[in-house]
Amino acid sequence: MCGMAWESRIESPVRRQHFVTALMVGLLAAATAMAAWYSHSHRQRMVTWTHAPFTVALPGAHLSRPIVEQGEMVAEFYDRSDTFPRTRVYRIDSPTVALPIEIAERLELHSGWTDQRSYQVGPAHVLQASSVFFNQTEGTLRTYLRVQTISTVDANAYLVIVTDYYHTDQTDHIERIQRIARTIEDKRFVPIERERVDLGGVSCELPEGVIGFEHDEASRRRDMTLHVAPERSEHFYRLRISVPTIPEDLAGLSAQELCGELARRQVADVWGDEPPTDATDSIRHGRRQIEVVHLMGVTGRKRYDLWAVPIDNDRVLTIQVIADPRSYVEASRIAGWIATHAQADIPEE
């Protein structure tokens, strides 16, 4: 019975005809769906777009037009079938460290933010938010969904992508933007695979839960800085770790005096101003007495500390802690762990 042909199972000729018809219609529908899928996937192929030092993969169906607005806009991207700019890309540089939330507020989304979320993509932090707005198109008032994606590695250079789509399927659009955001790369930085990093004769170990990255080979000769970011975090923080050259005029200071003066000078370089005298503090982590300069952004949304850690008579490790207040405790914990585990390299015999 199991090997019986299907024709003998459908005894009625009419039923057999209906069965064959249904089968052919099903095959035709499947072929049509496959062709539509192939056409859509072909149209949506991703093309890498570069604005140094950033690269990002955007849908290949887009046409680009350079444009400048308030000195920050890089390009607008139009779909081939639409005159409405679907995607705009900004490159924003901040002379001092700026949190993603500060850059987002500068761009001023329409209406209120909804579906705000943050996530890590390798060493980059991404802040994504959306809002709804209305636009008059060919005499018709249409509802649009705007999704704004802000990405940075170092809290100085930002790539911002703003996309506008008809407000038909919010979930699909947000997922599409997330796929684009995960392709953003800042080519200046290279992830570090090793657990220990040598900085000017000081060996730094990284704890679990963070990733390290450094400048590319060409830039590393000018700036030997180790950058540290969380592997996963909703709230932004970054550590910048270096071993500065001791200026000649500070050569006679004690280790603690040297740390305090180096911290004040480095903060002045970053912020362009001398820190207030009451911003300094001395804390102890394990066997090390560490000089710390505390600063807070004018909006109260940013914490900036500079730690100066004595390693030996000739070397001081400095750690810049750049954090959202909600991640400040975790960032300080990681900085303390690195400070206590750093040690002078011992040359191999």
Side-chain angles (χ1 to χ4, degrees):
M1 293 291 292
C2 292
M4 185 180 300
W6 64 269
E7 296 94 336
S8 61
R9 295 186 184 181
I10 306 176
E11 297 178 356
S12 170
V14 175
R15 290 185 177 179
R16 282 203 298 270
Q17 185 177 357
H18 288 168
F19 178 84
V20 171
T21 301
L23 181 62
M24 296 302 292
V25 170
L27 290 174
L28 179 61
T32 302
M34 181 65 71
W37 172 83
Y38 176 81
S39 176
H40 176 75
S41 62
H42 183 69
R43 290 197 311 270
Q44 292 301 314
R45 69 189 185 282
M46 306 298 278
V47 175
T48 299
W49 184 81
T50 301
H51 182 68
F54 294 99
T55 63
V56 60
L58 294 169
H62 282 170
L63 299 172
S64 64
R65 182 186 71 173
I67 187 171
V68 176
E69 183 178 288
Q70 298 179 350
E72 292 178 341
M73 184 174 290
V74 175
E76 287 186 337
F77 292 84
Y78 291 78
D79 189 281
R80 294 183 186 275
S81 60
D82 199 351
T83 58
F84 188 79
R86 295 294 187 90
T87 305
R88 281 165 292 160
V89 180
Y90 296 76
R91 162 73 189 276
I92 296 178
D93 292 319
S94 179
T96 60
V97 291
L99 299 187
I101 189 69
E102 294 176 301
I103 299 297
E105 290 179 344
R106 184 191 306 180
L107 295 173
E108 297 181 348
L109 271 176
H110 290 265
S111 305
W113 286 14
T114 61
D115 195 52
Q116 183 180 347
R117 63 185 69 180
S118 299
Y119 48 91
Q120 289 288 131
V121 180
H125 181 92
V126 177
L127 173 63
Q128 181 176 300
S130 60
S131 68
V132 175
F133 73 100
F134 302 95
N135 187 66
Q136 191 85 12
T137 304
E138 297 179 353
T140 303
L141 187 64
R142 290 180 173 176
T143 305
Y144 284 85
L145 174 70
R146 171 164 293 171
V147 180
Q148 178 174 281
T149 300
I150 299 171
S151 177
T152 187
V153 173
D154 62 353
N156 284 119
Y158 281 84
L159 190 72
V160 180
I161 302 176
V162 181
T163 58
D164 296 329
Y165 275 84
Y166 299 134
H167 190 31
T168 53
D169 190 340
Q170 179 172 336
T171 301
D172 179 69
H173 178 49
I174 289 175
E175 290 177 352
R176 182 189 303 118
I177 300 309
Q178 284 184 328
R179 289 195 298 270
I180 293 175
R182 293 186 182 281
T183 70
I184 299 174
E185 290 186 62
D186 187 333
K187 294 296 185 179
R188 296 174 301 162
F189 298 105
V190 179
I192 295 174
E193 304 297 337
R194 55 196 184 278
E195 294 181 356
R196 278 193 170 273
V197 181
D198 176 78
L199 290 173
V202 177
S203 179
C204 295
E205 184 178 353
L206 299 180
E208 293 184 359
V210 302
I211 55 177
F213 48 99
E214 57 190 353
H215 291 278
D216 60 22
E217 187 173 351
S219 301
R220 202 178 305 141
R221 291 191 289 268
R222 300 189 302 270
D223 186 2
M224 291 183 58
T225 301
L226 169 63
H227 299 257
V228 176
E231 286 184 341
R232 290 177 297 275
S233 178
E234 293 183 2
H235 307 302
F236 180 86
Y237 79 80
R238 290 292 183 272
L239 307 182
R240 299 176 181 175
I241 306 170
S242 60
V243 178
T245 301
I246 306 301
E248 292 183 2
D249 63 320
L250 301 183
L253 298 181
S254 67
Q256 291 307 125
E257 290 173 333
L258 177 62
C259 285
E261 185 57 33
L262 277 178
R264 283 188 288 273
R265 290 189 182 188
Q266 204 170 105
V267 167
D269 288 341
V270 173
W271 289 88
D273 196 6
E274 287 287 336
T277 55
D278 59 356
T280 59
D281 193 9
S282 185
I283 62 176
R284 190 165 191 85
H285 268 275
R287 54 189 168 82
R288 290 203 164 110
Q289 192 74 20
I290 302 169
E291 298 301 311
V292 180
V293 177
H294 302 281
L295 289 178
M296 182 179 292
V298 293
T299 62
R301 292 195 172 189
K302 177 169 54 190
R303 295 297 303 267
Y304 179 93
D305 287 357
L306 195 140
W307 296 27
V309 185
I311 301 298
D312 54 25
N313 291 332
D314 301 316
R315 282 164 291 199
V316 172
L317 186 76
T318 61
I319 305 175
Q320 297 180 48
V321 180
I322 305 161
D324 180 304
R326 294 167 294 183
S327 60
Y328 177 72
V329 172
E330 175 65 10
S332 299
R333 184 186 72 81
I334 297 297
W337 196 98
I338 294 173
T340 55
H341 286 78
Q343 60 187 23
D345 278 346
I346 301 175
E348 296 182 1
E349 297 181 359

